């Protein structure tokens, strides 16, 4: 497939990524990419919620790379904002925002949904009476508000909770799960935000399909939602991991185009 490869979900050493930002740029150039977006996890004052400790340094670094490589590649300055991270006063500096749910807040505690299977199981036992579907319902209720809570243009890994929940997101027999999932999806489809088709868990060997599931993608297509492909890159060797597979899945679900970011905003490009 020959559609333009652009990854806007790229992490680096300013948060939990493996590579220095410039190493990511160099890899993008090696791959022949014409644009790249960085999206470090947003600043937070809560030590239990991952985020940048030096947001000003991150912004200045990416801006310096923009200038250094301006004749070779277009670089965009983004941020992945969790719904529980604090607004730092630097929001206006970004070219775009990815809105994500990584945590459930229960009382004063923040419990990650994507840390490990054991940690999620412990959260389920402690707070949800061992009912994993009940935990997923709480996740999707929060997810349904991710756009309003983060003011994002891109919805990150919509069904992230399926990573370690043990609930097969291709199974339509768990009606409580599907109803919660579809309710959140329909609420987000009322917004202008673009749904990310995220291959990050594939790159790490956790899944063989992207987020969100085929069932979700068909619903997004049915309701004329927009999609963008990303690798949720934490290692530059996986910068474009699974893009062709994701594009093929989108075509199977009836999509004819994906979106990329340009200086004029988000624009559609054909899947071919």
């Amino acid at each position: 497939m020959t559609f333009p490869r652009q990854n806007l979900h790229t992490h680096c050493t300013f948060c939990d990524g493996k590579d220095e930002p410039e190493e990511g740029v160099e890899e993008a150039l090696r791959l022949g990419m014409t644009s790249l977006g960085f999206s470090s996890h947003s600043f937070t004052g809560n030590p239990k919620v991952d985020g940048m400790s030096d947001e000003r340094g991150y912004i200045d670094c990416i801006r310096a790379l923009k200038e250094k490589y301006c004749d070779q590649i277009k670089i965009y300055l983004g941020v992945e904002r969790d719904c529980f991270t604090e607004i730092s006063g630097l929001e206006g500096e970004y070219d775009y925002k990815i809105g994500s749910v990584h945590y459930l807040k229960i009382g004063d505690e923040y419990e990650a949904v994507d840390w490990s299977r054991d940690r999620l199981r412990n959260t389920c036992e402690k707070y949800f009476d061992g009912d994993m579907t009940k935990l997923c319902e709480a996740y999707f209720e929060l997810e349904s508000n991710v756009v309003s809570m983060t003011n994002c243009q891109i919805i990150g890994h919509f069904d992230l909770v399926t990573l370690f929940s043990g609930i097969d997101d291709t199974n339509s027999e768990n009606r409580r799960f599907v109803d919660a999932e579809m309710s959140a999806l329909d609420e987000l489809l009322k917004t202008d935000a673009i749904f990310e088709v995220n291959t990050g868990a594939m790159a790490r060997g956790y899944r063989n399909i992207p987020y969100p599931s085929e069932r979700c993608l068909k619903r997004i297509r049915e309701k004329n939602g927009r999609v963008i492909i990303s690798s949720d890159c934490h290692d530059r060797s996986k910068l474009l991991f699974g893009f062709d597979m994701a594009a093929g899945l989108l075509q199977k679900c009836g999509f004819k185009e994906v979106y990329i970011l340009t200086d004029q905003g988000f624009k559609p490009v054909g899947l071919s």
Side-chain angles (χ1 to χ4, degrees), residues 15 40-53 55 79-89 91 94 97-105 110 142 146 148-152:
C15 57
S40 284
H41 291 287
S42 57
F43 171 82
T44 173
N46 190 315
K48 292 186 178 181
V49 180
D50 291 336
M52 290 178 280
S53 59
E55 188 174 13
V79 65
E80 183 177 13
R81 186 158 186 255
D82 189 273
C83 59
F84 291 126
T85 55
E86 299 174 358
I87 297 176
S88 66
E91 292 287 296
Y94 295 109
K97 292 185 283 291
I98 299 171
S100 299
V101 176
H102 297 98
Y103 300 88
L104 296 175
K105 187 178 181 183
Y110 293 87
L142 185 59
V146 70
S148 61
M149 295 177 77
T150 66
N151 195 30
C152 65

Side-chain angles (χ1 to χ4, degrees), residues 71-82:
D71 293 333
Q72 301 176 66
I73 187 171
K74 184 69 182 181
I75 296 173
Y76 292 103
L77 170 61
V79 65
E80 183 177 13
R81 186 158 186 255
D82 189 273

Side-chain angles (χ1 to χ4, degrees), residues 41-235:
H41 291 287
S42 57
F43 171 82
T44 173
N46 190 315
K48 292 186 178 181
V49 180
D50 291 336
M52 290 178 280
S53 59
D54 183 10
E55 188 174 13
R56 180 76 262 169
Y58 165 69
I59 290 171
D60 291 345
C61 175
I62 304 306
R63 283 185 170 168
L65 291 174
K66 278 191 179 197
E67 182 175 349
K68 179 176 179 179
Y69 289 93
C70 65
D71 293 333
Q72 301 176 66
I73 187 171
K74 184 69 182 181
I75 296 173
Y76 292 103
L77 170 61
V79 65
E80 183 177 13
R81 186 158 186 255
D82 189 273
C83 59
F84 291 126
T85 55
E86 299 174 358
I87 297 176
S88 66
L90 299 174
E91 292 287 296
E93 308 255 2
Y94 295 109
D95 297 323
Y96 65 95
K97 292 185 283 291
I98 299 171
S100 299
V101 176
H102 297 98
Y103 300 88
L104 296 175
K105 187 178 181 183
I106 305 165
D108 293 328
E109 295 298 318
Y110 293 87
E111 299 292 344
V113 301
D114 63 337
W115 188 266
S116 72
R117 193 172 302 277
D118 286 344
R119 182 166 172 175
L120 190 64
R121 187 180 298 113
N122 289 339
T123 298
C124 183
E125 293 293 336
K126 185 175 181 180
Y127 297 109
F128 295 94
D129 304 316
D131 185 346
M132 188 61 75
T133 302
K134 187 176 180 180
L135 183 153
C136 291
E137 289 171 332
Y139 168 88
F140 282 120
E141 182 177 359
L142 185 59
E143 180 70 31
S144 69
N145 294 300
V146 70
V147 174
S148 61
M149 295 177 77
T150 66
N151 195 30
C152 65
Q153 294 80 39
I154 301 171
I155 298 165
H157 39 59
F158 167 78
D159 52 355
L160 180 66
V161 73
T162 60
L163 179 61
F164 293 126
S165 67
I167 295 177
D168 182 358
D169 59 349
T170 65
N171 186 346
S172 61
E173 294 179 4
N174 186 332
R175 292 312 310 172
R176 285 172 52 206
F177 176 90
V178 174
D179 287 347
E181 174 191 69
M182 289 295 146
S183 176
L185 199 57
D186 288 347
E187 193 64 30
L188 292 172
L189 281 162
K190 297 175 184 177
T191 75
D192 291 330
I194 302 170
F195 286 84
E196 171 191 64
V197 181
N198 181 313
T199 65
M202 294 168 58
R204 297 173 185 80
Y206 290 125
R207 290 167 65 100
N208 56 15
I209 57 173
Y211 305 108
S213 70
E214 184 174 333
R215 177 176 61 240
C216 292
L217 290 174
K218 288 178 177 178
R219 181 70 153 227
I220 294 168
R221 178 67 192 94
E222 174 189 333
K223 300 222 169 183
N224 297 314
R226 299 182 294 168
V227 292
I228 193 169
I229 299 176
S230 88
S231 68
D232 198 347
C233 179
H234 288 70
D235 178 340

